[in-house]
Every structure is written in C-alpha cells, then in structure tokens.
Amino acid sequence: VGIMERIIYADYLRVIGILWVIGVHLSLSYVSFHPAFSHLWFQGIISSSLTRAGVLLFIMVSGMLLLDRDEPLSKVPQRLKRVLVPFYFWLFYYFMKDVLIDHQLFNVHSTETFLIELYNAIIDPTKISIEFWYIYMIVAFYLMLPLLYQMIKHVSEKEIEYFLVIWFVVLLLNFFRFRIYIINYMNLFVGPLGYFILGYYLNKKDSKYTRSKKFGLLLFILGLVILILSFYIPALLTGHTENSYILVGNVDPGSCLKMAGLFIIFKNIDFKTVFGKYSEKINSSVIKFAGYTYGIYLIVNIPLDLIKDYGYFNLQISPFINIPIIILISVTASIIILWIMNKIPVLRKFTGMKN
C-alpha cells in the first residue's frame, strides 16, 4: 500500500498502543507496591490510567482496516498463520525458559508433566504473560471475520449505531455490577467485538463530532478521569488498593471513552502540516515502527525481565521518569532482536512482521 493510500493515523495509534501496553504493566507495579494514598501511589494510578487499554487501540485499528475490505473465507488460514506461528514460537521459548531457568510457573519433573504443562500453557497462554489474552481474542475475530464483514457491509450506519448503543449500555451495567438476568444473554454484545466495530465506525462516520479534535480531547479527558476514579474511589471505601474495578480486558467505560477520544483526535490530525518538512521522514519512521508492533508485543518481556531481575526497575523513582526510560530501553532492545531475526531466513517467520 502506498503512503498516500495508507491510513497513516492507524500506524500512529498502533505505536501508541504498544507503548501503552508496556507502560500500563509497569505502572500497575507502582499501584500494588506503594500503600494507598502515598504520593508514588497517586502517580502510579495517574500513569496507569494514562497508559491503560493500549490493546484496545490494536482492536479498533484492526476493525477499521479489516471490516473495510473484502474478507473471503479463503483468507482466514493465512491470517491465523501470521498471528499464531510467531506466537507459538515465543510461547514455547517462554515456557522452556521457565522450565529450565526460572521454575516459577510450571511444575515439570518428567516427560509427562512437561507435556501436561505445555498443553496448559497453550490452552491458557495468560499463565505465561497476562497480556497474551489478546492473541486468542484476535484469533477469534479472524475466525468470525468473513461473517462480520458481510454483516457490516449490509447494515446501515443507523444499525451500527444501534449495536454500539446497546453494547455501551451493557458495558456500563457490567461495570457497575448490575446483576440483571438478561445481561447473561446480552454478553454477545459485550467486550472486544464492540471495539472492533467502533474502530470501523469512527473511521467511517462523518459528523461534526468525529471531525472535532476538541470533542476527541473531551472524551479522552472524561475517560481518563473515570479510570483514575475507578482506582481512587474503591481505595477510599476500603482503605487499601482495590483492583476489582480495574478489569482485565478493558471492557470498562473509562477505557472506552478515552480510546474513542484518542481515535477521533488522531483521525483529525493532518500529519503533513504538523511536522512540516520532516513529515515524510517521521511518517515513514512511524510506519516502520508500526510494522514491528506485533513482534514487540511478543518479545518485550525478554528485556523487561532482565531489567527487573537486575534491579533496574526502581519503584522509588517517579513513574513519569522511570517508565519512559524503561520503555525506551526495552523497545529498542526488542527492535534490535527482531531486526536481526528478520535478516536470518529461518527465523524470519517468527518475527510477527510482514515481509
């Protein structure tokens, strides 16, 4: 795809997504390590809320790009292969590292237990790394994509809005723990599917709201405030850090508003004018970086673990200083590893990069 036809803001969102995925895990360490209401705890909840839900950007960008082009059934195996081949390669690497070096996650003392534990890691990869839930979720989307594409193609904008409204209402009811029996059967509407369709919708929709960076910023700030309060209020009520409102899977209204806002802001940035004469250079660097994001997602734990093991992740330093430095180091290390692998034919298919 040429740079002109390319939806450049999708690449920017992918890059932000990967930086936030790393940032939120580091930020949450501050929240769980420091006593509630200490100054580093407050900084931790602000930095967690800022970096929260990076994965949602991947989902929204995927929805925006994939629901907009023909998705025949014949393309499904190829898509699955692109996601799963590198994923299983790295899953096996982390599994072996644990079995041979760390001995923390798996209980292996014979061939039989080795196979049982490997099977457990494959059916539930979150045992190895919590953010691996995303991989199986995207696989589920790819399996449904030919169907979703046909559905989206044949519905009106009004009908998409109808779906999104129901989805958001169910999201709110779930978030506030309303145990209404019908919700059990509305769960089709909940969760990542809504973000997939929301990304497509926001990209297509042309209204004064989706054209307004100010409206985007308003949504972003509103979402951010809800996220900060969902740390703060439960802590206030219980007297200690209470993570139950910080849901894995990001199906909370704060994340939803924040990400929709960010999406609208970036949709309306003209990157040519922002960077002036450097725009070509910066845009092509962002496109290159975006090509590495899936690979970074899979391997960034390697440098992060080293940084933590050697005590370079110091929770006494403000997260606003500490976390950007660690992200910079771990992302640079990941890109170097992937770049080298990409030069070696036998390892190329495990980088998660399009070649």
Side-chain angles (χ1 to χ4, degrees):
V1 184
I3 275 193
M4 285 315 291
E5 310 142 51
R6 199 181 175 99
I7 304 176
I8 183 82
Y9 81 91
D11 294 297
Y12 279 84
L13 290 173
R14 272 201 194 113
V15 168
I16 293 172
I18 192 67
L19 300 177
W20 281 5
V21 164
I22 305 165
V24 76
H25 286 280
L26 296 169
S27 304
L28 286 170
S29 306
Y30 279 87
V31 179
S32 50
F33 182 79
H34 291 286
F37 312 112
S38 59
H39 69 283
L40 282 169
W41 181 84
F42 273 116
Q43 291 183 34
I45 68 172
I46 292 168
S47 107
S48 299
S49 302
L50 267 171
T51 52
R52 178 118 198 98
V55 168
L56 296 186
L57 285 178
F58 293 138
I59 302 172
M60 289 168 77
V61 167
S62 297
M64 152 179 138
L65 299 173
L66 296 175
L67 291 172
D68 206 20
R69 52 177 179 230
D70 192 17
E71 281 301 322
L73 279 169
S74 56
K75 254 178 143 172
V76 173
Q78 183 192 341
R79 285 203 180 285
L80 294 180
K81 191 174 145 197
R82 232 199 108 230
V83 173
L84 289 175
V85 169
F87 173 59
Y88 285 133
F89 174 83
W90 290 107
L91 193 73
F92 188 67
Y93 163 83
Y94 290 123
F95 177 76
M96 290 309 294
K97 176 176 178 278
D98 191 79
V99 169
L100 300 173
I101 301 165
D102 303 338
H103 313 297
Q104 279 171 343
L105 307 169
F106 302 102
N107 181 20
V108 173
H109 40 73
S110 68
T111 309
E112 189 186 351
T113 52
F114 177 86
L115 292 172
I116 290 169
E117 293 288 19
L118 181 58
Y119 169 77
N120 289 336
I122 289 169
I123 57 169
D124 180 6
T126 59
K127 284 186 184 354
I128 282 181
S129 181
I130 190 72
E131 56 274 353
F132 282 168
W133 67 271
Y134 167 73
I135 310 291
Y136 281 173
M137 182 217 65
I138 210 77
V139 164
F141 278 148
Y142 285 165
L143 291 170
M144 297 187 326
L145 201 54
L147 197 72
L148 286 172
Y149 170 74
Q150 290 301 332
M151 283 161 61
I152 287 288
K153 201 167 77 169
H154 293 107
V155 295
S156 66
E157 195 177 84
K158 274 273 170 293
E159 287 159 333
I160 294 180
E161 285 163 357
Y162 167 76
F163 167 83
L164 288 171
V165 167
I166 292 181
W167 169 70
F168 192 70
V169 169
V170 175
L171 197 94
L172 283 175
L173 292 174
N174 268 332
F175 182 70
F176 289 111
R177 311 280 161 84
F178 283 108
R179 288 282 165 256
I180 307 168
Y181 192 68
I182 190 172
I183 291 286
N184 299 340
Y185 301 101
M186 299 288 282
N187 279 335
L188 193 75
F189 278 106
V190 188
L193 178 63
Y195 291 109
F196 204 64
I197 291 169
L198 182 64
Y200 169 82
Y201 170 77
L202 288 176
N203 182 48
K204 282 273 185 243
K205 175 74 177 171
D206 191 30
S207 76
K208 65 176 183 193
Y209 297 111
T210 56
R211 277 198 301 270
S212 160
K213 282 193 284 245
K214 278 191 183 132
F215 179 68
L217 187 62
L218 180 76
L219 284 183
F220 184 85
I221 292 168
L222 185 63
L224 189 60
V225 169
I226 293 173
L227 284 169
I228 291 171
L229 291 177
S230 62
F231 278 105
Y232 183 68
I233 292 170
L236 207 58
L237 296 174
T238 58
H240 57 83
T241 303
E242 171 60 69
N243 280 335
S244 60
Y245 275 88
I246 309 306
L247 308 171
V248 171
N250 307 298
V251 284
D252 57 289
S255 295
C256 178
L257 294 172
K258 184 180 115 170
M259 290 315 183
L262 193 73
F263 210 91
I264 292 168
I265 293 169
F266 272 79
K267 177 186 175 177
N268 292 293
I269 291 176
D270 177 5
F271 292 100
K272 288 231 173 338
T273 50
V274 174
F275 300 122
K277 61 179 181 193
Y278 300 109
S279 68
E280 279 299 306
K281 253 202 180 87
I282 292 172
N283 286 349
S284 66
S285 305
V286 168
I287 291 171
K288 250 200 200 89
F289 188 176
Y292 278 98
T293 48
Y294 181 49
I296 295 170
Y297 194 86
L298 294 175
I299 75 163
V300 74
N301 281 339
I302 299 173
L304 282 177
D305 287 347
L306 285 171
I307 290 169
K308 287 175 182 166
D309 291 348
Y310 287 100
Y312 290 116
F313 182 40
N314 182 347
L315 290 165
Q316 303 306 329
I317 302 171
S318 163
F320 299 111
I321 298 165
N322 202 6
I323 292 175
I325 295 170
I326 291 181
I327 291 176
L328 182 70
I329 295 166
S330 55
V331 166
T332 307
S334 302
I335 289 177
I336 292 168
I337 297 169
L338 292 166
W339 184 81
I340 293 168
M341 286 178 68
N342 209 29
K343 295 271 177 254
I344 303 166
V346 69
L347 295 178
R348 192 171 292 155
K349 58 177 170 295
F350 305 125
T351 59
M353 292 158 67
K354 279 185 180 161
N355 288 297

